[in-house]
Amino acid sequence: MTQVSATAAETKKSMAREAAATKTWRHVIQPDADAAANYLNLDPAQGPGEATITTRPDGQIDVLVLL
């Protein structure tokens, strides 16, 4: 299973704090589906309708997150 880097985890928490008053869609790229799932489950975990993922031609994963 691919682990999410500590930097990615801290960035997600930071983006969530910045957007506490107004949620906005953010985009990140993860190396594979396992990393994308791990990223979405980091604190704060995404709820239904708050994220979407798509596969890029190079195999990486685009993650759109409502934070």
Side-chain angles (χ1 to χ4, degrees), residues 16-46:
R17 283 191 299 268
E18 290 172 8
T22 304
K23 290 191 170 193
T24 57
W25 288 98
R26 306 293 178 119
H27 174 254
V28 296
I29 300 171
Q30 294 296 323
D32 57 38
D34 285 339
N38 290 338
Y39 180 81
L40 291 173
N41 287 319
L42 290 172
D43 186 37
Q46 304 320 121

Side-chain angles (χ1 to χ4, degrees), residues 5 7 13-16 18 20 26-27 30-31 37-39 41 43 45 53 62 64 66:
S5 72
T7 303
K13 289 178 187 177
S14 175
M15 286 190 301
E18 290 172 8
R26 306 293 178 119
H27 174 254
Q30 294 296 323
N38 290 338
Y39 180 81
N41 287 319
D43 186 37
I53 62 171
D62 283 317
L64 293 170
L66 186 61

